[in-house]
Amino acid sequence: MPNVSCLRSLLILLCLIPATLAAQTIQWQEIYPGVWKGVAGKPDDYDLLKAAEITPSQALAKLSKEAFPLNKAEIQVQQNNGKTYLRLPLVKNEQLFGFGLNFQTVHQRGRIMQLHADHYGKTDNGRTHAPVPFYVSSLGYGVFVNSAKYIDVYAGSNVRKDSKNPPEVMDRNTNKSWSAHPYSDAVEMLIPAQGIEIYVFAGPKPINAIQRFNLLSGGGCLPPRWGLGFTQRVHRLYTSEQVKQEAKAFEEKGFPLDFIGLEPGWQSKSYPCTFEWDKSRFPDPAGFVKEMDAMGVKINLWTNPYVSPDAAIYKPILPFTGSHTVWNGIVPDLSMPQARKILFDQFEKEHVKIGVSGYKIDEVDGFDSYLWPDVATFPSGHSSEQIRQTYGLLVQKHSFEMFRRNNARTYGLVRASNAGGASFPYVIYNDNYSHEDFITALINSGYAGVLWTPEVRASKTAEEWLRRFQTVCFSPMAMINAWSSSTQPWTFPEVAAQVKAVAELRMRMMPYWYSEFAKYHYDGTPPFRGMSLEEGFSGNVIKEKTATDLEANPYEEALIKEVKDQYMAGEFLLVAPLFTGQKSRKVILPKGKWFDFYTGKLVGDGEIITISPGLDQIPVFVKNGAIIPMMPALLHAPKAEQKVDLEIRHYGDQNGSYKLYDDDGETFAYEKGIFSWRDIKVEKQKDGKLKGSISNAEANKPSTVGNISWRYMTE
Ligand code: GAL
């Protein structure tokens, strides 16, 4: 007969077994060259990619074959109290980027967050407009967890007792190197689901992993040309007459303007919304949109998706809405085809058919006290959490499809997105107004497969106005959002000339911006991105010692200063904005020679420079051999087939090449192959002089290039 202690040991063993058994195998499948999908357990039926209904880009199939970038055995999945625990390896000196649209931090290693769609609340804790569960490692691979749940992330912040790679144990009493954050060898996540779908992207470089991630969502969006011009959002209660006057003022003063955004007052009721025109302010919407179009200005409409009891679609959509209201409006369950048909049919009939060019879809991110709570239920059966994580994707996807049906490209604004949203032509914005945070967000957007605008609203001083304006002209959407301030570009007369100059520069650079967006679309390269993705950049971490106050914080450590105030704009430009009060700043130049954008002069060679550029211009530096195609400073983007003269600039002392993209800029014809790439080359001749050439446009392909002049900026 077994004795009691034997039985007890057996019992203890039996209790331990489930924990070991719960470790799950991941079924890996290489779905494209360098892209693996892994499935463990029983993932949720509804996830981010399903909500986004993505069609992966055909370019994926043409990518280089790469080896799986991690040791598969070190990626572990376990069931843990009804949730899925995921562990991925990390080595020393590896840095992580991504985990959504962060505003204050670029380096994510060591951070703890819960990815949760929300309005950014001034801390990077995972609550953000685009809580994208994707990260990219400095070692050149990316990881994406395809879940529409709130995911807990420990990005190399903790250590397991069974770690194979534990940190050195140190005695704080005697060892000065003791750290409150010892090295952790893993990214750990907790996903509240019975299983997971995970994607691993190979590099070889970090940028290649991002490209693969973006291509999986169909490639980055391709805005219409006019989307890359200037846009003004007018006061919320403007009438059609006032909007016309505004457009006239731009024209008379010679400020570029491609589209005007109407804020809530265009609707008969807002918060909640009717989606119907307010006839007292806009008596003839169709006539108004037509007249604006004749002036070269398109119309974009603000809305949120919460349906007013006074809306014509209230009754029909009611059965397809959630249990809770937002500002007394019902919340369409846009994961249901019935709900989106009713909502977007209304948009199409009332707005798109009369020529409205796009939307600003507000309030789909948070805040908790306004939005539906997590106890809400939705008729699709998807949880409130899942709807919250995907609502931004759903509004983008289905409004975009509506424009596609009408063969008119759109470019608008949205306040929430997520993984899978890269191909939707929407730019994220928010209500925060920190210029510094706005630039950090611009950097992080490139790691998250989203676009971000550091919009200008109002300023205390002319200096601040100009500094903000300069950066928005080097971003995905050059915009003033004057919905409450009624500001205009010339609001501060003392800097109106400089504001105009940079607005004109934005227009002159349109051929460059457009080609860079085409690269986002066709090969997944983010047009605006962080320096870590740049070859030869080594300014990753600067540690700054803070005064140690053990009373206030017994675990205080050196502050890690990240590079979050300079970024890359397209293939060749490094932008180093200044903030109010700053007279000079440091710029970290990656390896190689760099040139001043305005003068073509050499500024440095893989070094840290200090600049004091004055107020007039935003510092922009250009890579050696860069080619920047420019056009005249038109007041409106060129229309389909309009020939435009090019000034092709070359910088530096090296040969250069550039791919110039062309299509009609307005319709979806490019999806049928109606586009062209032209090769621009600048080469040194026998006499040492540089000479430019451009390949001919293919027969029967779009060709809008007029006369060409060449400018060798560094001669
Ligand atoms: C906010 C939005 C602002 C403006 C305003 C209008 O939610 O972020 O940009 O559109 O609504 O009421």
Side-chain angles (χ1 to χ4, degrees), residues 542-563:
I542 302 168
K543 280 200 175 182
E544 269 193 0
K545 198 81 194 150
T546 49
T548 310
D549 177 356
L550 293 181
E551 295 296 331
N553 181 359
Y555 300 111
E556 188 170 32
E557 303 217 302
L559 266 190
I560 306 255
K561 224 180 140 205
E562 307 172 81
V563 181

Side-chain angles (χ1 to χ4, degrees), residues 30-42:
E30 186 169 6
I31 51 170
Y32 297 103
V35 182
W36 292 264
K37 176 174 162 180
V39 178
K42 203 183 160 303

Side-chain angles (χ1 to χ4, degrees), residues 119 233 236 263-264 271 302 360 362-363 415 429-431 455 457 481 483:
H119 197 284
R233 303 202 69 85
R236 67 193 177 92
E263 290 285 322
Y271 296 90
W302 171 97
K360 164 176 172 179
D362 206 23
E363 304 292 356
R415 237 173 53 189
Y429 65 97
N430 73 9
D431 285 339
E455 66 174 39
R457 297 204 281 269
N481 177 13
W483 76 277

Side-chain angles (χ1 to χ4, degrees), residues 122-160:
K122 298 202 163 49
T123 36
D124 283 350
N125 56 6
R127 285 190 174 240
T128 174
H129 309 268
V132 181
F134 169 74
Y135 67 90
V136 61
S137 156
S138 55
L139 298 185
Y141 66 88
V143 174
F144 161 48
V145 178
N146 181 22
S147 164
K149 293 284 184 62
Y150 304 148
I151 303 178
D152 289 313
V153 177
Y154 301 85
S157 52
N158 298 74
V159 182
R160 284 182 70 105

Side-chain angles (χ1 to χ4, degrees), residues 437-454:
D437 291 1
F438 275 16
I439 299 307
T440 306
L442 193 53
I443 290 168
N444 281 318
S445 64
Y447 300 115
V450 297
L451 298 172
W452 162 260
T453 174

